[in-house]
């Protein structure tokens, strides 16, 4: 156990996978390292590479003390390879190979499918860093600035985690894929990142917090499914990544919560009862609730697309092959093979949205997405409680799954947030009611001013209730370079 818990710092790459004795993989990773640093310097947080940031670094996988906090310059962050401990005699928990011992090597017949899953997962990690690279310049406080950098270095580590899998288990084509992961760029017309939401801009902090709430939560669901994998190294890698992921969603949920709180308090203080008095609310230097709802519509719908098509043979094949399971697979009480069960799927039938029973195997994406929606709803309930506590009459709502979709059943139709199907003219005349307009974006941008005095916050966001690592309110989370 102690070998697993103590991280090996004797090599350049902190790890608990005994890289010292795995010379071939160590050399492959060391060869990849300069390209990674180059990518980080050009595509990582712009203008802050010399700043000292109070960051946590994963140094162990001991649940009681896996991270240590210290000031560090980001390029010197110890990106490491940490896998959750191997469970003795772990059995494959689903699919055709249910009950067989988990694989320690890639099964030949599933090599291509597995590589694709690992590459897609890997591709999202650097993409998010690229999307967020300008946010430091408009951080609403040092606390928030530190949080975005923390998220960024950990997404960098998650890229390392996938690159390790590629280099250790996929030989030459794994090394080529690892190289490609450093070549693609978020939003680039010629070599974009693989999934839609990772090519969208993150232009402001409200977008960042929505992204960490909605898109990182997709990350959580996908990692949870891969953590069930019959391929044990992938399962162990994802299990440890989930430990870090929790903080990213915390950043999103509390970031939006603090924004809502500030808006409601400012409205109360100014005696504004009606949340739809947008200009009056905006004059207070806070973001009106209807605009926050529009951003929510946008980010939720973009994130739903990340689950793929509702009915998917890719997903069925990955489940059948015991490569990618369901959320909390081991807690589900069924045969874990899904050969004869069905699952209800919302589909477009003769121009109407109908619930149709589909073979559960092909509806795997839909099921994961439903679990995701339930998880999102719990977050919205907590935001709505903040509004209730301050005493404003407004409720945040998730839009219908047919709203603003680019992937799956509803990609060809236009629907209102209520789910009502619309013709093109009706959609075009109303879409700015539901999605952020250029004016909304300009207004949000106008509030994005960097605040760097310790303990101070921009006008539009409330301070957090507690500091990171229990630090006091005026703690200097980032020491900016002179
Ligand atoms: N954009 O059968 P289909 C995270 C493609 S986030 C573009 O419908 P499938 C993070 C698909 O590739 C989690 N293309 O879907 C969060 C396929 O193309 P090919 C990332 C898309 O395969 C924040 C075709 O459409 N991890 O970690 O069942 C910060 C038909 O596919 C999209 C994963 O996603 C799209 N949205 O499911 C940092 C897990 N959707 O192959 C990190 C790994 C589908 O026919 N990936 N397509 O050319 C998977 O499990 C699956 O590939 C997907 C798609 C869920 C993405």
């Amino acid at each position: 156990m102690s070998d697993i818990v103590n991280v090996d710092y004797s090599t350049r790459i902190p790890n608990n996978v005994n890289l010292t004795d795995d010379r071939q993989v160590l050399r492959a990773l060391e060869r990849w390292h300069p390209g990674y640093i180059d990518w980080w310097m050009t595509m990582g947080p712009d203008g802050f590479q010399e700043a000292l940031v109070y960051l946590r670094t994963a140094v162990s996988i001991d649940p009681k003390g896996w991270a240590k906090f210290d000031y560090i310059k980001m390029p010197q962050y110890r990106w490491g390879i940490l896998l959750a401990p191997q469970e003795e005699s772990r059995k494959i928990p689903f699919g055709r190979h249910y009950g067989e011992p988990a694989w320690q090597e890639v099964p030949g017949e599933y090599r291509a499918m597995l590589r694709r899953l690992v590459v897609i997962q890997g591709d999202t990690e650097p993409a998010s860093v690229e999307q967020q690279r300008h946010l430091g310049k408009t951080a609403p406080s040092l606390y928030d600035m530190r949080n975005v950098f923390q998220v960024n270095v950990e997404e960098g580590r998650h890229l390392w985690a996938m690159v390790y899998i590629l280099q250790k288990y996929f030989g030459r084509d794994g090394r080529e894929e690892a190289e490609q992961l450093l070549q693609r760029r978020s939003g680039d017309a010629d070599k974009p990142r693989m999934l839609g939401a990772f090519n969208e801009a993150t232009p402001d902090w409200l977008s960042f917090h929505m992204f960490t709430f909605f898109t990182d939560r997709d990350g959580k669901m996908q990692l949870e499914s891969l953590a069930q994998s019959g391929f044990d190294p992938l399962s162990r890698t994802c299990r440890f990544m989930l430990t870090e992921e929790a903080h990213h969603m915390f950043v999103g949920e509390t970031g939006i919560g603090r924004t809502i709180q500030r808006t409601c308090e400012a409205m109360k203080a100014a005696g504004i009862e009606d949340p739809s008095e947008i200009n009056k609310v905006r004059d207070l230097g806070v973001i009106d609730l209807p605009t926050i709802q529009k951003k929510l519509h946008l980010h939720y719908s973009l994130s739903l697309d990340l689950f793929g098509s509702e009915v998917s043979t890719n997903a069925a094949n990955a489940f059948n092959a015991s490569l990618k399971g369901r959320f909390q697979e081991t807690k589900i009480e069924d045969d874990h093979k899904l050969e004869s069960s069905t699952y209800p799927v919302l589909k477009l039938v003769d121009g109407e949205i109908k619930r149709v029973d589909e073979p559960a195997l092909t509806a795997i994406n839909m099921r994961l997405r439903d679990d995701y929606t339930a998880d999102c709803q719990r977050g919205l309930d907590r935001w709505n409680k903040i509004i209730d506590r301050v005493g404003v009459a407004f409720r945040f709502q998730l839009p219908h799954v047919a709203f603003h979709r680019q992937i799956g059943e509803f990609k060809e139709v236009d629907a209102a947030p209520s789910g009502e199907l619309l013709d093109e003219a009706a959609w075009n005349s109303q879409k700015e009611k539901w999605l952020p307009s250029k004016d909304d974006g300009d207004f949000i941008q106008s509030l994005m001013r960097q605040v760097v005095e310790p303990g101070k916050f921009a006008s539009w966001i409330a301070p957090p209730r507690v500091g990171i690592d229990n630090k006091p309110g005026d703690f200097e989370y980032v020491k900016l370079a002179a």
Side-chain angles (χ1 to χ4, degrees), residues 116-118 120-121 124-125 128 132 155 194-198 211 215-220 222-223 226 245 248 302 305-316 324 365 407:
R116 176 179 171 274
L117 290 173
V118 172
I120 294 180
Q121 180 61 49
T124 61
E125 315 290 359
S128 68
Q132 295 162 12
E155 300 302 4
M194 299 173 87
L195 300 180
F198 293 89
F211 183 95
T215 309
D216 279 77
R217 193 172 306 275
D218 165 57
K220 165 184 151 182
Q222 301 291 349
L223 290 173
L226 295 172
E245 204 65 38
H248 305 186
L302 289 172
D305 283 343
L306 295 173
F307 288 83
S309 304
E310 289 81 353
V311 177
S312 161
T313 47
N314 280 344
K324 186 181 172 197
N365 287 343
I407 298 278

Side-chain angles (χ1 to χ4, degrees), residues 13 46 68 85 111 128-129 146 151 167 172 202 210 224 277 291 315 359 361 373 383 414 419 426 449:
I13 303 149
D46 187 21
K68 75 172 174 41
R111 197 168 188 279
S128 68
V129 176
R146 176 260 167 215
V151 168
Q167 294 189 331
R172 187 172 161 176
T202 307
M210 288 290 176
E224 288 273 4
E277 293 206 77
T291 297
L361 256 184
T373 295
W383 293 338
D414 289 316
R449 298 258 184 278

